Amino acid sequence: MKFKLNLVTLALIANAGIALPSIAVAEGYGLQNANTAKVKYDKWTCKRCAIDTGVSGTVGVGVGYNDSSDIRSANAFAAEDEFTGKVDADLNYVSESGYRASIEAQNLGMENGSLDIDAGKVGQYNLNVNYRQIATYKTDSAMTPYQGVGSGDLTLPDNWQTAGSSQDMSQLYSSLNPMELSLKRKRAGLGFEYQGEELWSTYITYQREDKTGLKQASGSFFNQSMMLAEPVDYTTDTVEAGVKLRGDNWFTALSYSGSSFKNQYSQLTFDNAFNPTFGAQTQGTMALDPDNEAHTVSLMGQYTAGRTIMSGRVHYGQMTQDQAFVTSGYGYQVPAESLDGKVDMSGINLKVVSRINRTVRLNASYDYSDRDNKTNVEEWTQISIDATTGKAAYNTPYDITTQRAKLGADFRLSRGMKLEAGYDFRRDERSYQDRETTDENTLWTKFRLSAFENWDMWIKGSYGERDGSEYQASEWTSSESNDLLRKYNLADRKRTMVEARVSHSPIDALTVDFGARYALDDYNDTQIGLTESKDISYDVSASYLINDDMMINAFYNRQNIDSQQAGSTNFSAPNWYSVIEDQVDVIGAGFSYNNLLEKKLRLGVDYTYSDSSSNTQVTQGITGDYGDYYSNVHNINVYGQYQATDKMALRLDYKMENYKDNDPGNQIAPDGIWNVVSFGSNSHDYTAHMVMLSMSYKL
C-alpha cells in the first residue's frame, strides 16, 4: 500500500508515539528541526467550526378577534375576551466569551401562554426563569340565587322565602344570577444549575403556582341540598434541589423535593334554602381543602459494569396537615383542635439490564413503596346527613404497601426478528380495607418483525390474574354493604389483552400505520358489582407527499368500552343488571401547499372531529335507558403564511369550533328535583369563530 505523509500527518503520528519502522528519518531531518517560519497558519482555520455570535432568532406578535356565545370555546381558542393578543419569540444570544442566553415565548398573553428565559455558560452554569398559564372553562351560564359568589360566605336575598321543596320557593327564579365556573392557573419559576469540576454538579429550582376561580360544590341538610359555588384561591410553593456526581462508569444524585399548599379559604358558609327540618339549621358550614406540606429526600445511582447496567433509588418522605378544624354548626365536643395528620412514605427501586451476548438481553426490576399513616385515631360524634346513622365515627388511618417485581428477556432471533417475554408481579397490602392483600401475576410476550423492506410490525399478548386474602367487609369503612358485594379494585379478576401495530411505506411518499387493542377484564368471582369490562380500540393513519410542495395526512381512531354490572335492592342475591356502552370516535385530516406565489406563500387546513357517546341500560324485570350522553365537536383551522421580505412573514389563521353535548346531569332546571336547588341547564350547543393575524420577524 502506497500513501503520502504531509507535515501535519507526521506531527500527529509523532505526538501519538506511533513507531514507523518503514520510515527512516535522517539526523537533522526530524520534525523538531522543521522550518516553520514560512508556514501560513491562518490558512488552516476551520471555517465550519466558527460559532456565530450576537443575537439571532425570530420575534412575533399577533392580534385576534374571538366571536363566541359560550365561554367553553376558550378551552380551544385560549382566549376568553372578544379581542386578544399574543407575543411569540425564539431568540438566542452568543458572546465571544461563551456566554449564552435564550428566550422562548409561545402565545404569551393568551390563556395557554408560556415563557422560558435561560442565561449562562455552557458546561458551567445556567439560570432559568419560566412562566406558564393554563385555564379551564366549564360554563358561564350557571344560575344561583346566592349572593357573595367568590367569597367564603354565601347568603340568600333578604326577601327569600324558604319552602319544603324547590318547586315551592317563590323567590327562586327571580333571584337567579349567572356566574362563571372556571379555573385559572399561573405558574412562575426560577432555577439555577452549576457545573463544578468534571465530577459534580448541583441545581435548585423554586416554583409558585396560583390557582383561582370557582368550582361546583354542594351543601346538604339531611336529604335536601343546594349546588354551591366553591371559591378556589390556592397557592402551592415547590422547591427542588440536588447534587449530582458522575464518574466514567457511574452516576449518583442526592435530591430534595418539598411542597407547601395553602388555601386562602378554610371554610364555606351558606344559607339553607329549605325549611329547616329534622333539627337542621338555617345556615351550614363546610370545611374546604386544608393547608398541607410534603417533603421527600431521595438518593439514586447507576453503575455500568461491562454489558451490565445497574440502577437504584431510595427515598423517604413525609406529608403533614395540621390546620385547625372547622367546628361551626357542630354542637359536640371535638377530641382535638386539629387533625395533626402525618403520613410517612418510603420506597426503593432497583433495576438491572444485562446483555448476555449479541442475541440475548435480560432485565429485572423491583419496586417497593410504603405509605404509613401515623395520624392519631379519634372518636367523633357523627351527624347524619343521609340515611346512614351511627353514634360514633372514627377517622381511618389507611396504610398501603406495594411491591412490584418484573423479569424480562429480549431474544434477537435473526436480523429483523425479535422476541420479548416477561413476568410481572404485584402485591398490595392494605389496612382497614375489605381485602387486606391482593396479588397480581401477569405473563406477556411480544414479537416484532421488520425483516421485510418498508414493513414494521409487532404483536403483544398478555394474561394476568388477581386474587388475594379472604374478602370481608371492614367494620371501619362498611356498615351497609351486601356480603356479596365486591369492589372492582379489590375483586378477583382475569385480564386478557392483545395489542398489534403495523407500519408500511409502499412508496417513499406514502406511510400507512394501523394499530389495534383488545382487553377483557373478567371479574369471575363477583356476584354484585362490576362483573365484566371489555375495551376494544383501533386506529389508522396515513401521510402522503403529493409532490415537493403538497402534503396530506389523515387519521381515524375508535374506542369502545362495554361494562356489565349486577346489583341487589334487598341486600341479597342480584336482582338487577346494567350494561354501560361507551364509544369515542376521532377523525382528523390536514393539507398543506407550499411555495406558492414565487415561493412566498404557504396555505394549509387542519380538521378534527370527535364524537363520544354513552348509554346505560338497566334491567329489573323490564329494560330501560338512563338516558344517552353524547358530545361532538368539529375543529377547523385554515391558515396562510406569506413571506413578505427575507426577514418578515405574515400569517392569518381562521379557527372554528362547533360543539354540542347532551348530558342529562347538566339539563336539570333549578327546581327540577324537589329536594335540590341546582345550577340549571348547562349543556353546550355553539359555533365559535376566531381570526388571528400575526407577524414574525427574523433577526
Side-chain angles (χ1 to χ4, degrees):
M1 178 180 296
K2 296 181 179 180
F3 56 89
K4 296 182 179 180
L5 296 176
N6 57 26
L7 185 63
V8 176
T9 305
L10 288 172
L12 293 174
I13 293 175
N15 289 335
I18 301 176
L20 299 177
S22 60
I23 301 177
V25 181
E27 183 178 356
Y29 290 88
L31 291 177
Q32 66 274 16
N33 297 317
N35 184 3
T36 60
K38 297 182 178 181
V39 175
K40 299 180 179 181
Y41 293 102
D42 58 327
K43 300 295 184 180
W44 296 1
T45 303
C46 177
K47 297 181 179 180
R48 295 184 178 180
C49 299
I51 299 177
D52 294 333
T53 58
V55 180
S56 63
T58 60
V59 293
V61 295
V63 60
Y65 171 74
N66 180 23
D67 178 19
S68 175
S69 59
D70 193 313
I71 200 172
R72 192 191 179 282
S73 65
N75 295 322
F77 295 162
E80 177 184 4
D81 300 325
E82 184 177 6
F83 292 96
T84 186
K86 69 170 185 174
V87 174
D88 297 316
D90 185 4
L91 297 174
N92 293 279
Y93 170 76
V94 180
S95 70
E96 295 181 357
S97 60
Y99 174 83
R100 294 174 180 263
S102 66
I103 300 176
E104 293 185 13
Q106 185 175 9
N107 295 331
L108 191 62
M110 302 183 70
E111 299 296 345
N112 61 347
S114 64
L115 173 67
D116 267 290
I117 301 176
D118 287 280
K121 279 191 174 182
V122 177
Q124 294 187 21
Y125 64 89
N126 183 72
L127 178 66
N128 173 263
V129 178
N130 59 80
Y131 173 81
R132 300 287 186 277
Q133 181 171 319
I134 303 173
T136 304
Y137 297 91
K138 184 176 181 180
T139 182
D140 59 354
S141 59
M143 306 299 290
T144 180
Y146 283 96
Q147 300 173 344
V149 171
S151 69
D153 187 15
L154 301 179
T155 60
L156 291 167
D158 294 336
N159 63 344
W160 184 263
Q161 297 294 320
T162 61
S165 68
S166 56
Q167 291 94 339
D168 297 329
M169 295 176 180
S170 59
Q171 301 299 318
L172 176 57
Y173 279 89
S174 62
S175 302
L176 293 177
N177 292 298
M179 64 179 179
E180 177 184 312
L181 297 178
S182 63
L183 295 174
K184 298 181 180 181
R185 291 190 294 170
K186 295 182 179 180
R187 181 187 306 165
L190 180 67
F192 181 74
E193 299 179 21
Y194 179 77
Q195 177 68 51
E197 298 178 356
E198 295 183 359
L199 183 64
W200 68 278
S201 63
T202 184
Y203 68 93
I204 182 171
T205 63
Y206 167 76
Q207 183 174 274
R208 164 164 285 194
E209 178 180 282
D210 292 320
K211 187 175 183 180
T212 58
L214 295 173
K215 66 179 181 179
Q216 181 176 318
S218 63
S220 300
F221 295 91
F222 192 64
N223 65 341
Q224 299 167 329
S225 64
M226 297 78 63
M227 289 188 179
L228 306 174
E230 178 182 332
V232 174
D233 193 352
Y234 303 156
T235 299
T236 304
D237 294 304
T238 304
V239 176
E240 295 184 359
V243 177
K244 303 176 183 178
L245 302 176
R246 182 184 299 274
D248 294 336
N249 58 350
W250 59 273
F251 167 81
T252 187
L254 177 65
S255 62
Y256 162 80
S257 176
S259 66
S260 173
F261 170 84
K262 293 187 181 300
N263 188 352
Q264 302 304 315
Y265 296 98
S266 61
Q267 64 183 40
L268 176 64
T269 60
F270 52 93
D271 288 346
N272 187 356
F274 294 88
N275 290 331
T277 57
F278 302 100
Q281 298 179 341
T282 59
Q283 189 179 70
T285 304
M286 59 186 296
L288 303 182
D289 299 333
D291 298 349
N292 59 81
E293 293 185 2
H295 305 273
T296 302
V297 177
S298 64
L299 176 66
M300 64 173 296
Q302 179 176 298
Y303 180 75
T304 302
R307 297 179 176 179
T308 301
I309 301 176
M310 296 170 285
S311 60
R313 175 178 178 263
V314 293
H315 69 273
Y316 174 80
Q318 188 175 88
M319 299 185 296
T320 58
Q321 189 269 102
D322 195 27
Q323 184 167 304
F325 286 129
V326 174
T327 58
S328 301
Y330 185 79
Y332 301 90
Q333 182 69 31
V334 293
E337 295 182 355
S338 64
L339 180 68
D340 193 18
K342 182 183 297 184
V343 177
D344 290 344
M345 304 171 296
S346 59
I348 183 172
N349 311 99
L350 301 173
K351 186 176 183 179
V352 178
V353 178
S354 180
R355 182 172 293 279
I356 306 302
N357 50 46
R358 296 182 60 185
T359 60
V360 180
R361 186 182 69 172
L362 300 178
N363 60 83
S365 65
Y366 172 76
D367 299 327
Y368 171 89
S369 64
D370 180 67
R371 183 182 186 276
D372 184 10
N373 193 334
K374 294 186 175 181
T375 305
N376 292 331
V377 178
E378 306 285 359
E379 181 179 314
W380 311 83
T381 303
Q382 182 179 359
I383 297 178
S384 299
I385 60 172
D386 53 30
T388 301
T389 61
K391 295 182 179 179
Y394 300 87
N395 55 294
T396 308
Y398 294 108
D399 295 334
I400 183 171
T401 300
T402 301
Q403 299 182 71
R404 297 183 180 91
K406 297 182 179 180
L407 180 63
D410 300 350
F411 304 93
R412 185 182 179 187
L413 303 179
S414 63
R415 184 176 182 180
M417 296 180 62
K418 184 180 179 181
L419 178 65
E420 302 176 44
Y423 165 72
D424 299 343
F425 170 79
R426 172 171 176 164
R427 166 168 289 184
D428 291 304
E429 300 177 42
R430 305 173 177 86
S431 64
Y432 306 108
Q433 295 283 331
D434 295 338
R435 203 172 200 178
E436 293 182 353
T437 303
T438 56
D439 293 330
E440 293 186 43
N441 297 273
T442 303
L443 291 172
W444 62 270
T445 184
K446 180 179 180 181
F447 176 71
R448 183 162 191 167
L449 179 63
S450 58
F452 303 112
E453 187 177 2
N454 300 325
W455 287 89
D456 187 7
M457 60 192 79
W458 59 263
I459 183 170
K460 180 180 180 180
S462 64
Y463 175 78
E465 291 189 1
R466 180 174 66 194
D467 55 18
S469 59
E470 182 181 358
Y471 198 103
Q472 55 185 359
S474 169
E475 63 178 356
W476 284 67
T477 59
S478 302
S479 59
E480 72 285 345
S481 295
N482 189 324
D483 290 339
L484 299 177
L485 174 65
R486 297 292 181 267
K487 298 178 181 178
Y488 77 94
N489 64 315
L490 302 175
D492 289 353
R493 183 193 64 198
K494 295 181 179 180
R495 169 171 290 177
T496 304
M497 186 169 63
V498 179
E499 297 176 275
R501 184 158 294 280
V502 178
S503 297
H504 179 46
S505 300
I507 57 177
D508 292 340
L510 177 63
T511 300
V512 180
D513 187 81
F514 173 77
R517 179 179 182 270
Y518 170 85
L520 175 65
D521 288 348
D522 180 14
Y523 296 87
N524 54 298
D525 195 35
T526 296
Q527 297 185 51
I528 296 179
L530 182 63
T531 58
E532 183 180 284
S533 178
K534 185 186 299 182
D535 187 346
I536 302 175
S537 63
Y538 56 88
D539 64 88
V540 60
S541 63
S543 62
Y544 179 56
L545 185 64
I546 302 174
N547 54 43
D548 292 341
D549 297 326
M550 290 189 291
M551 181 177 181
I552 187 171
N553 61 80
F555 67 89
Y556 172 68
N557 175 272
R558 163 168 282 194
Q559 182 178 22
N560 290 93
I561 302 176
D562 298 333
S563 304
Q564 298 182 16
Q565 185 175 345
S568 175
T569 59
N570 55 12
F571 290 89
S572 183
N575 59 6
W576 64 264
Y577 305 88
S578 68
V579 177
I580 303 99
E581 298 175 339
D582 299 321
Q583 179 174 306
V584 179
D585 292 281
V586 182
I587 303 173
F591 173 76
S592 63
Y593 196 159
N594 299 325
N595 297 324
L596 294 167
L597 295 181
E598 299 180 348
K599 297 185 177 182
K600 292 184 176 182
L601 179 64
R602 178 189 181 190
L603 299 176
V605 58
D606 294 314
Y607 168 76
T608 59
Y609 168 75
S610 64
D611 183 8
S612 61
S613 60
S614 179
N615 180 49
T616 301
Q617 292 185 340
V618 178
T619 302
Q620 189 175 10
I622 59 175
T623 300
D625 288 349
Y626 265 15
D628 292 340
Y629 162 82
Y630 70 83
S631 70
N632 55 66
V633 56
H634 300 263
N635 284 101
I636 298 176
N637 183 20
V638 181
Y639 61 91
Q641 181 169 316
Y642 181 73
Q643 194 70 36
T645 67
D646 291 341
K647 293 188 175 183
M648 186 178 71
L650 299 174
R651 176 172 172 136
L652 182 65
D653 285 84
Y654 166 72
K655 298 181 180 181
M656 186 275 291
E657 179 174 79
N658 175 265
Y659 181 90
K660 185 176 183 179
D661 63 21
N662 175 33
D663 185 354
N666 286 335
Q667 294 182 338
I668 303 174
D671 59 351
I673 303 176
W674 74 270
N675 59 343
V676 176
V677 177
S678 78
F679 282 155
S681 178
N682 284 283
S683 293
H684 304 277
D685 185 359
Y686 65 86
T687 299
H689 309 270
M690 184 177 186
V691 178
M692 173 73 72
L693 177 63
S694 56
M695 180 196 73
S696 63
Y697 185 82
K698 184 177 180 180
L699 301 179

